[in-house]
Amino acid sequence: MLIDKLNWRYATKKMDSSKTVPEDKVERILEAARLAPTSSGLQPYEIIVVTNPDIRARIQEAANGQAQITEGSHLLVFAAWDNYTPERINSMFDLVNEERGFTNEGWENYRKMLLGLYPPRDAQTNYEHAARQAYIGFGLAITAAAFEEVDATPMEGFNPEAVDEILGLRERGLRSVTLLPLGYRESSGDWLVNLKKVRRAKEDFVTEVH
Ligand SMILES: Cc1cc2nc3c(=O)[nH]c(=O)nc-3n(C[C@H](O)[C@H](O)[C@H](O)COP(=O)(O)O)c2cc1C
């Protein structure tokens, strides 16, 4: 059951550097993120999969030395578009038309509406909107990792400008949003592994309106 796996997962603090996540599991975790819904279907972010140890060591330095980045076998970097441009919006609308094999007036009017709305806004507002979409894929990747019984640590504790620099993201019109190291827990060295998972009670979290 998914809920059992979500109870099993935790923000792993220590990973076993002798273990490697199999590629088929990594592929399914990435596929879950690719299938994530996004506002208007724009998918305004990409995922960079870093296995290179030297680059991961540099990213670790930019992330307060968090060890999971190098102890895990793969590091996923979620990077959002730095802005919405007409080219980016058009390329997604064109892809939909190409893949579905037809054009539709309502859809084309929606394209015009977005073209009139997003590109004139300031880049920071657009980046923040894109970053919110990246978080949805991030959440699905965290869930998929748990489903695959792969450990993962969601991370915001890093210097995004430094990570952008290390990976050359700004040149590609991208800005790093979150990190997700993947690996396997090293239970003997992890202070968090046996601590109770703490969440607010359902009554304090869910309001039912009948
Ligand atoms: C967006 C986000 C950013 C986080 N950043 C970090 C981080 O930089 N380092 C870390 O060790 N944990 C980080 N966490 C993990 C949270 O502290 C953790 O998910 C939360 O305390 C709940 O615990 P659990 O995930 O073990 O159930 C982050 C979690 C999220 C969702």
Side-chain angles (χ1 to χ4, degrees), residues 54-66 69-70 157-159 162-163 166:
D54 297 332
I55 294 177
R56 282 191 291 142
R58 290 176 62 202
I59 293 175
Q60 181 182 6
E61 263 180 54
N64 311 310
Q66 297 195 73
I69 294 170
T70 47
F158 65 99
N159 175 344
V163 171
I166 293 164

Side-chain angles (χ1 to χ4, degrees), residues 9-11 13 66 135 138 153-157 197 199:
R9 72 146 293 281
Y10 74 115
K13 301 299 175 199
Q66 297 195 73
Y135 275 95
F138 184 58
T153 318
M155 287 185 181
E156 263 181 340
K197 187 177 283 295
R199 294 293 190 270

Side-chain angles (χ1 to χ4, degrees), residues 193-210:
V193 66
N194 291 319
L195 295 190
K196 187 175 190 289
K197 187 177 283 295
V198 179
R199 294 293 190 270
R200 292 207 308 276
K202 186 190 163 198
E203 306 76 69
D204 302 328
F205 186 68
V206 177
T207 302
E208 294 190 22
V209 180
H210 294 291

Side-chain angles (χ1 to χ4, degrees), residues 5-6 8-15 29 59 63-64 66-69 72 74-78 134-146 150-158 177-183 185 190-192 197 199:
K5 306 260 176 142
L6 293 179
W8 170 85
R9 72 146 293 281
Y10 74 115
T12 307
K13 301 299 175 199
K14 181 140 190 72
M15 292 185 177
I29 293 165
I59 293 175
N64 311 310
Q66 297 195 73
Q68 308 93 315
I69 294 170
H74 296 71
L75 174 69
L76 310 189
V77 180
F78 288 74
Y135 275 95
I136 300 169
F138 184 58
L140 283 190
I142 294 165
T143 308
V150 168
D151 282 301
T153 318
M155 287 185 181
E156 263 181 340
F158 65 99
V177 178
T178 53
L179 305 180
L180 191 67
L182 301 176
R185 62 188 70 178
D190 193 332
W191 59 268
L192 188 57
K197 187 177 283 295
R199 294 293 190 270

Side-chain angles (χ1 to χ4, degrees), residues 91-105:
S91 75
M92 271 319 285
F93 276 78
D94 291 345
L95 178 66
V96 170
N97 290 346
E98 196 184 304
E99 294 267 320
R100 294 191 174 150
F102 67 90
T103 56
N104 166 285
E105 200 192 331

Side-chain angles (χ1 to χ4, degrees), residues 40-59:
S40 303
L42 291 175
Q43 284 185 278
Y45 63 96
E46 297 186 17
I47 300 172
I48 293 94
V49 183
V50 189
T51 49
N52 181 293
D54 297 332
I55 294 177
R56 282 191 291 142
R58 290 176 62 202
I59 293 175

